[in-house]
Amino acid sequence: MASRGRPSAVIELSDDECATLNRWTRRQKSSQALALRSRIVLACAAGESNAAIAARLGCNPATVSKWRRRFAADRLEGLVDAPRSGAPRTISDDDVEAIIVETLETTPVDATHWTTRSLAARHDISHETVSQIWKAFGLKPWRQDEFKISPDPDLVEKIRDIVGLYMSPPVAAAVFAVDEKPQIQALKRSAPILPMLPTTPQRATHDYQRNGTIDLFAALEIATGTVITELRPTHTSAEFIKFLNKINREVPDDLDVHIILDNLSTHKTPQVKRWLQRHKRFHFHFTPTYGSWMNLVERWFSTLTTKQIQRSSYD
């Protein structure tokens, strides 16, 4: 008696197709649907019937028949889901352009910048739609960065001078980035610091007792990363000269000393200038106005603050 229904497509695999299907069944990043389709096609190529494959793999015989036909027609590409168009757009390109232009060029009457909800209410759309448009075009009205323009007339020359010291320091010379970190506070918390726990960060009391302040002088040698430090009660020009004397003692006499420092008035007093006249091997290089960030020792101060000072409690 002849069998009923549509005849099953015969599946024959090439070596490359067989290797790809086996890889899809084992690869961890393959979706479960793609792995099942690959197993179905491999079983079909082995000569199993649709019913037997469905019973062994735990799926419907109609599913087996579907992917047998799909593979016979389109081979490996037939097993991969085609991209879906999704729901039709409810907002036109003109609306998107209007939202972008309004975000960039206008502000609401009662605020300094638009929010997703205020702009959505103006255009009678959902705030999620506004959020998606902002995300697509990289707009973040709630953020504000800062910048500072240096009025230094010798800005370019000073930048070239300092970058040159960093990138190509003079021969037979030591280059130091020098600065002070004033008013370092020795704080004692009013209660012990509570340790970090799962889902809970380390906690410290807001109130504290101040055990005094101290000024830290530091000179970071660019070539080696060695830091010469000294603690002083203040950062006057007299204290600065004492720190320069310490640098002078620790650097070999046969080396010139180049000092990178900012424009603090303490660094330019007549006493400091007279000291420089007596120590000819010392050369000062000032950062541009509002450009103290170019002083590499600031990076060391930042690390010291975050790793040691900021979260400590001193008895």
Side-chain angles (χ1 to χ4, degrees):
M1 181 177 179
S3 59
R4 298 179 180 180
R6 183 186 305 172
S8 299
V10 178
I11 302 297
E12 294 182 358
L13 301 176
S14 66
D15 293 340
D16 290 341
E17 289 175 334
C18 185
T20 300
L21 291 171
N22 279 293
R23 187 171 68 252
W24 284 353
T25 62
R26 296 190 302 266
R27 192 175 62 178
Q28 294 181 352
K29 292 185 178 180
S30 295
S31 66
Q32 292 299 313
L34 180 59
L36 175 62
R37 297 165 196 172
S38 301
R39 294 188 184 97
I40 289 173
V41 174
L42 288 171
C44 292
E48 297 184 44
S49 66
N50 291 352
I53 296 171
R56 181 167 63 83
L57 298 180
C59 60
N60 193 289
T63 302
V64 178
S65 177
K66 170 186 175 181
W67 293 111
R68 181 192 286 268
R69 293 195 309 271
R70 184 80 66 85
F71 183 84
D74 301 321
R75 311 308 291 180
L76 292 175
E77 293 182 359
L79 302 184
V80 181
D81 289 324
R84 300 180 181 180
S85 60
R89 291 178 58 183
T90 59
I91 183 170
S92 66
D93 290 342
D94 292 338
D95 294 329
V96 173
E97 182 182 2
I99 291 171
I100 295 171
V101 170
E102 198 154 7
T103 302
L104 294 174
E105 300 180 2
T106 68
T107 57
V109 177
D110 59 345
T112 59
H113 61 277
W114 291 103
T115 65
T116 56
R117 284 174 171 78
S118 63
L119 198 54
R122 181 176 177 84
H123 289 270
D124 195 24
I125 58 177
S126 70
H127 69 274
E128 289 90 350
T129 301
V130 176
S131 178
Q132 291 172 0
I133 294 172
W134 282 357
K135 184 177 181 181
F137 288 88
L139 299 176
K140 299 179 181 180
W142 61 91
R143 291 189 57 184
Q144 184 184 50
D145 288 336
E146 296 181 349
F147 68 94
K148 183 67 176 179
I149 298 176
S150 174
D152 198 321
D154 299 322
L155 175 66
V156 175
E157 290 76 8
K158 289 182 177 180
I159 290 177
R160 287 175 175 171
D161 180 35
I162 293 174
V163 173
L165 288 173
Y166 288 150
M167 302 297 294
S168 182
V171 179
V175 180
F176 289 91
V178 174
D179 202 0
E180 305 91 25
K181 185 173 180 61
Q183 299 294 305
I184 300 176
Q185 303 180 82
L187 304 181
K188 178 185 178 182
R189 302 291 174 178
S190 59
I193 297 176
L194 301 180
M196 178 177 60
L197 298 171
T199 72
T200 304
Q202 184 188 71
R203 291 173 292 172
T205 59
H206 179 73
D207 51 328
Y208 55 83
Q209 174 186 342
R210 183 179 296 167
N211 291 328
T213 61
I214 197 73
D215 292 353
L216 172 63
F217 287 77
L220 172 66
E221 187 176 5
I222 303 303
T224 64
T226 303
V227 182
I228 301 173
T229 61
E230 191 167 57
L231 294 174
R232 292 285 178 178
T234 60
H235 58 285
T236 62
S237 60
E239 302 292 352
F240 178 57
I241 290 173
K242 292 178 182 177
F243 184 58
L244 291 175
N245 286 327
K246 182 175 183 179
I247 298 175
N248 187 40
R249 291 192 300 269
E250 297 198 15
V251 176
D253 295 336
D254 58 335
L255 296 179
D256 282 349
V257 181
H258 293 264
I259 302 292
I260 299 170
L261 67 170
D262 60 25
N263 292 275
L264 186 67
S265 59
T266 302
H267 302 154
K268 298 181 177 181
T269 63
Q271 295 90 334
V272 174
K273 292 179 181 179
R274 287 194 296 268
W275 187 92
L276 284 175
Q277 291 176 354
R278 298 193 304 269
H279 299 80
K280 299 297 185 181
R281 68 173 182 149
F282 275 73
H283 309 275
F284 280 6
H285 304 263
F286 291 100
T287 60
T289 305
Y290 305 136
S292 59
W293 52 269
M294 293 189 66
N295 196 331
L296 194 58
V297 75
E298 297 290 351
R299 178 62 259 175
W300 184 80
F301 281 144
S302 176
T303 302
L304 177 68
T305 300
T306 55
K307 290 188 175 182
Q308 296 292 334
I309 300 174
Q310 196 170 43
R311 293 167 58 173
S312 297
S313 181
Y314 302 93
D315 294 329

